[in-house]
Amino acid sequence: MYKGTCLNDLSVGQKALVKEIKATGSMRRRLLDIGLINNTKIECVGQSPSGDPKAYLIRGAVIAIRSEDGKNILINLIDKED
């Protein structure tokens, strides 16, 4: 498992660029189908009361992603100015 920055590390209000998708099988296909590819801008816009799943703004749509799946999405954080 990847030990660097993954989607789960984003807090509400933070933005990042997708670096790599490590998911496999049908989950990889679903992530690619919603437009989650390299250099896609993603923003954490909320989370459930229990903290899982979190809601992300991806290409104009808000998508809920479970932490189980978010750990397989590697990201590069974006400075707040961007």
Side-chain angles (χ1 to χ4, degrees), residues 5-47:
T5 305
C6 66
L7 193 59
N8 293 346
D9 298 329
L10 277 185
S11 298
V12 175
Q14 284 188 309
K15 298 177 184 178
L17 292 176
V18 174
K19 179 178 176 182
E20 184 179 354
I21 305 292
K22 292 282 195 181
T24 60
S26 63
M27 181 48 64
R28 179 179 180 82
R29 178 82 264 153
R30 287 185 190 117
L31 294 171
L32 295 173
D33 285 346
I34 63 171
L36 210 55
I37 59 173
N38 290 351
N39 293 318
T40 299
K41 189 174 180 181
I42 188 167
E43 178 181 358
C44 184
V45 294
Q47 67 183 32

Side-chain angles (χ1 to χ4, degrees), residues 46-55:
Q47 67 183 32
S48 72
S50 66
D52 188 27
K54 288 185 178 179

Side-chain angles (χ1 to χ4, degrees), residues 58-77:
I58 304 168
R59 298 184 184 268
V62 177
I63 307 291
I65 299 177
R66 300 175 299 171
S67 61
E68 177 182 329
D69 301 318
K71 69 182 177 188
N72 293 313
I73 303 168
L74 311 184
I75 58 168
N76 290 321
L77 293 173

